[in-house]
Amino acid sequence: MKIGANELRIGMLIEHNGRLWTACKLQHVKPGKGGAFVQAELKDIKSGTKLNERFRSEDVLEKVSLDEEKYQLLFSDGDVFTFMNTVTFDQIQINKEIIGEPARFLQDNMMVKIQSYDGEIIGVMLPDTVVMTVIEADAVVKGQTATASYKPAVLENGERILVPPHIDAGTRIVVNTDDGSYVEKAK
């Protein structure tokens, strides 16, 4: 599908120079002299390399559409995760490298969206947030109330994050799966 450079949005997948790229950062620039352009930071979806590219506003880009299907995580064996399609009950195995950083928040029976392009799996999308239990939390340091203070904590998956002072070991919290940050106390 062809789109104009001005229609490019963050998260969009495009084909450029024979490779698939996702738009990470965009800046629309209208200089005082010359034509407008879009300064884009693109990330190769296979290798992870980044590229800064300048597109003129009249340039035409090739937008790529992905196939997305819902899958359920059955189990993991080392760095290999086994998922089941919730409609056809087909099972597939995906290496941790394809999933990337969010793999640390995968939990058994979690529902995910698996993205593919021309039959090749290129990504796994987790839910925006996940509920996890804090297994270890440092004590609150007195006198640090002038600013919003956070303390280190360890989650059940071994990840270290910063949490507010009122969170103690054993507390269930909501964690953002994109960056691993504390969202709120689980209800």
Side-chain angles (χ1 to χ4, degrees):
M1 176 175 158
K2 305 269 187 209
I3 62 168
N6 287 339
E7 298 174 66
L8 186 62
R9 300 287 177 258
I10 292 176
M12 233 181 235
L13 192 68
I14 62 169
E15 188 172 344
H16 179 65
N17 294 339
R19 292 165 49 187
L20 296 178
W21 303 86
T22 185
C24 299
K25 293 180 185 174
L26 296 173
Q27 182 179 6
H28 295 268
V29 180
K30 173 67 175 110
K33 204 173 184 181
F37 62 90
V38 176
Q39 184 68 38
E41 181 179 300
L42 305 173
K43 182 178 177 185
D44 186 320
I45 61 168
K46 290 190 180 178
S47 67
T49 58
K50 290 193 175 178
L51 169 74
N52 283 310
E53 193 71 51
R54 183 178 287 185
F55 299 109
R56 295 185 323 255
S57 57
E58 60 269 9
D59 286 347
V60 177
L61 304 173
E62 184 67 35
K63 181 182 174 192
V64 176
S65 58
L66 297 174
D67 298 324
E68 280 188 356
E69 291 188 76
K70 286 189 176 188
Y71 279 80
Q72 181 179 18
L73 175 63
L74 296 178
F75 60 90
S76 64
D77 183 18
D79 286 349
V80 178
F81 294 87
T82 302
F83 295 91
M84 179 183 68
N85 185 310
T86 57
V87 177
T88 64
F89 302 109
D90 292 337
Q91 292 184 14
I92 59 171
Q93 294 184 328
I94 301 176
N95 198 309
K96 184 178 182 179
E97 293 172 4
I98 294 172
I99 302 169
E101 283 292 311
R104 60 193 174 156
F105 295 112
L106 279 172
Q107 299 172 336
D108 288 346
N109 301 319
M110 179 182 278
M111 297 301 294
V112 299
K113 288 182 186 172
I114 296 184
Q115 298 175 321
S116 60
Y117 178 72
D118 282 344
E120 183 180 347
I121 295 170
I122 59 167
V124 176
M125 293 180 60
L126 275 65
D128 293 337
T129 58
V130 64
V131 176
M132 303 208 81
T133 303
V134 175
I135 59 168
E136 185 181 314
D138 289 357
V140 177
V141 178
K142 298 288 182 190
Q144 286 187 343
T145 55
T147 60
S149 59
Y150 280 76
K151 63 182 184 179
V154 178
L155 300 176
E156 62 188 85
N157 63 352
E159 288 296 313
R160 295 177 107 9
I161 69 166
L162 294 174
V163 297
H166 67 275
I167 302 296
D168 296 319
T171 306
R172 293 180 52 78
I173 63 171
V174 178
V175 179
N176 183 328
T177 56
D178 285 336
D179 58 8
S181 63
Y182 169 86
V183 176
E184 64 183 358
K185 192 173 181 178
K187 293 174 175 55

